[in-house]
Amino acid sequence: MASGTTAPPPPASLPRIVAASLIGTTIEWYDFFLYGSAAALVFNKLFFPDSDPLVGTLLSFLTYAVGFAARPLGALVFGHYGDRLGRKKLLVLSLVMMGGATFAIGLLPTHASVGAAAPVLLTVLRLVQGFALGGEWGGAVLLVSEHGDARRRGFWASWPQTGAPAGQLLATGVLSLLTAVLSDDAFGTWGWRIPFLLSGLLVMVGLWIRLSVDESPVFKEALERSEARREQGAAEKLPLVAVLRHHWRDVLVAMGARMAENISYYVITAFILVYATTSAGVSKQTALNAVLIGSAVHFAVIPAWGALSDRVGRRPVYLLGAAGIGLWMFPFFALVDTGSFGYLVLAVTVGLILHGAMYAPQAAFFAEMFATRMRYSGASIGAQFASVAAGAPAPLVATALLADYDSSTPIALYVIAAAVLTLIAVGVARETRHRDLAEVTAEDGDPAATSPAAEARTV
């Protein structure tokens, strides 16, 4: 039985660890979301100018989706070395890669300057972004999860999750400011580069904070046990092999849990910039401001949902969010269709609040599924492989459905179907909130009996 007595770090250190994870995830998501917003607003004209406007948007979102395709590879590579070498080293590397790629996008020549080479270079840099983000998420949430104790793990681990709305808030805020003060011509010519170039400064701040924290004590203990076993002649399996052998059910649960969360988020924050401006007759500025306000509320509610998951469990909170987002989709589009700024803000904000009920407990939920020496690999694989089927095509599928049917109904049904998948996946999972992450599970000879999917621990 788990004791739930993992020694927490000194009180002053946990907020610093949370800050290090949060600043990194904020920067990484800023970089990633900045691309998504630019893809909806300007990349179709700058890199695919010979296409019909809606086709250009589809091609722009296709390069956006390419970043998701690289995320599973990033999850495999970063997960492997993160389980072998530690969380901190890989988190520093992911931040440098993401920031460097984003800064380079700000320097790219457009189609008017170099022709077909422009979208090719854009796609390559997007691949680097996706690869880095595929390794970032798992390490950031594990660094916090493994430093704290079981009683408030959901709350503390939810803070790196706020990096997503914080990055969205920062990216959308910068774009909103620029579109407000610059003419359309100025923004399309050079103004769009400013947010990408700012990433270089943000990365320097993030590195300074991230280099100041210690490695996870839970990982250090597991590494010592692993080294002791190797000295005794015991062979250690590769983390990926161990995950697929002992935790394949947990990987499937994690992938299913991400369907509604991932698809709904990109429909609400990325596709909405296309839908609101083309179908609802809303200006770019108005749509960006609505996402900006919704992201601020999203940031605020995630820790609250995380704290609630510590009290009632990960599954009830997650199920509430999945059911809620499915029920909200038809009202969401009905509100957007009014063209009213107030209704647009309401649609986005309620959608992101419901999304937060899934996203907040996700960090602790996924971390609690896997053994320490395969946790980075397991959590990353489950999360990032799902993104290929969920978040990657979401704006693309939604845009294609809009082009084919000229209606929001198929898009709403698309999100509802994802919500049903998530309800099934989380519904069959076991509750994990009382697990002690320091406990040796699938590492010492009886994985079938001690896998978190097979047995829910209680304090």
Side-chain angles (χ1 to χ4, degrees):
M1 301 292 287
S3 64
T5 57
T6 304
S13 68
L14 187 54
R16 186 173 70 249
I17 292 159
V18 170
S21 293
L22 175 56
I23 188 68
T25 54
T26 298
I27 294 168
E28 299 250 7
W29 283 112
Y30 165 80
D31 293 346
F32 208 71
F33 288 140
L34 181 61
Y35 189 105
S37 297
L41 297 173
V42 295
F43 281 178
N44 57 332
K45 301 172 185 175
L46 296 173
F47 294 92
F48 308 98
D50 298 330
S51 304
D52 172 84
L54 197 56
V55 174
T57 301
L58 280 168
L59 292 173
S60 184
F61 274 141
L62 186 59
T63 64
Y64 175 76
V66 163
F68 286 84
R71 283 165 67 170
L73 180 59
L76 290 172
V77 174
F78 278 82
H80 172 84
Y81 288 104
D83 282 328
R84 288 297 181 92
L85 304 177
R87 289 45 167 136
K88 178 181 172 179
K89 295 183 179 72
L90 275 297
L91 284 174
V92 169
L93 178 60
S94 70
L95 186 59
V96 171
M97 290 182 66
M98 174 67 88
T102 304
F103 187 82
I105 289 174
L107 300 175
L108 273 183
T110 63
H111 189 279
S113 300
V114 297
V120 171
L121 291 171
L122 182 67
T123 302
V124 170
L125 291 173
R126 182 60 174 174
L127 284 168
V128 175
Q129 279 191 323
F131 181 81
L133 190 60
E136 162 70 21
W137 180 84
V141 300
L142 294 188
L143 195 64
V144 176
S145 296
E146 293 179 345
H147 269 91
D149 66 328
R151 291 172 300 173
R152 303 191 69 197
R153 186 181 298 129
F155 171 74
W156 288 114
S158 70
W159 277 101
Q161 300 290 76
T162 64
Q168 179 78 63
L169 190 65
L170 189 58
T172 306
V174 172
L175 285 171
S176 182
L177 176 63
L178 289 172
T179 56
V181 301
L182 297 177
S183 66
D184 287 345
D185 286 342
F187 182 77
T189 303
W190 56 269
W192 68 272
R193 297 182 184 275
I194 295 174
F196 290 91
L197 297 176
L198 281 175
S199 181
L201 178 62
L202 295 175
V203 167
M204 297 302 295
V205 175
L207 283 175
W208 176 68
I209 297 176
R210 188 161 274 187
L211 287 169
S212 69
V213 302
D214 294 327
E215 181 56 79
S216 155
V218 173
F219 175 79
K220 289 179 180 178
E221 294 171 6
L223 183 60
E224 290 174 1
R225 292 193 298 268
S226 177
E227 290 174 349
R229 286 195 296 271
R230 280 200 299 269
E231 290 174 0
Q232 296 170 1
E236 183 178 10
K237 296 183 179 67
L238 294 175
L240 173 61
V241 174
V243 165
L244 296 180
R245 179 177 178 182
H246 303 312
H247 288 286
W248 62 269
R249 291 182 182 85
D250 300 310
V251 170
L252 292 178
V253 167
M255 291 177 66
R258 289 219 74 195
M259 288 298 153
E261 176 267 306
N262 221 215
I263 289 174
S264 66
Y265 188 75
Y266 290 105
V267 168
I268 293 169
T269 61
F271 171 72
I272 193 63
L273 299 178
V274 175
Y275 184 82
T277 54
T278 60
S279 296
V282 175
S283 69
K284 288 188 296 185
Q285 183 68 44
T286 299
L288 283 169
N289 287 343
V291 174
L292 190 68
I293 294 170
S295 295
V297 176
H298 195 210
F299 179 91
V301 300
I302 284 177
W305 284 123
L308 183 62
S309 78
D310 286 327
R311 297 179 64 87
V312 303
R314 318 298 182 214
R315 292 175 66 253
V317 177
Y318 213 118
L319 290 169
L320 173 64
I325 204 69
L327 293 173
W328 183 243
M329 275 300 101
F330 280 112
F332 172 82
F333 284 108
L335 290 169
V336 175
D337 286 338
T338 65
S340 164
F341 176 67
Y343 285 142
L344 181 58
V345 170
L346 178 63
V348 172
T349 301
V350 173
L352 289 178
I353 289 173
L354 293 169
H355 173 269
M358 294 181 283
Y359 200 53
Q362 187 179 99
F365 188 34
F366 288 10
E368 290 159 350
M369 290 181 181
F370 301 96
T372 301
R373 289 285 282 162
M374 59 188 78
R375 186 170 293 134
Y376 201 146
S377 295
S380 296
I381 291 169
Q384 303 307 334
F385 272 68
S387 70
V388 176
L396 190 65
V397 170
T399 303
L401 289 172
L402 180 63
D404 288 346
Y405 296 96
D406 193 26
S407 169
S408 63
T409 298
I411 305 166
L413 292 174
Y414 169 53
V415 179
I416 290 170
V420 171
L421 288 175
T422 293
L423 287 170
I424 293 171
V426 178
V428 301
R430 295 293 184 90
E431 183 56 62
T432 62
R433 72 184 170 109
H434 292 303
R435 281 192 53 78
D436 183 350
L437 296 186
E439 187 178 35
V440 182
T441 57
E443 298 168 309
D444 61 352
D446 192 14
T450 58
S451 168
E455 178 182 359
R457 303 307 204 273
T458 56
V459 175

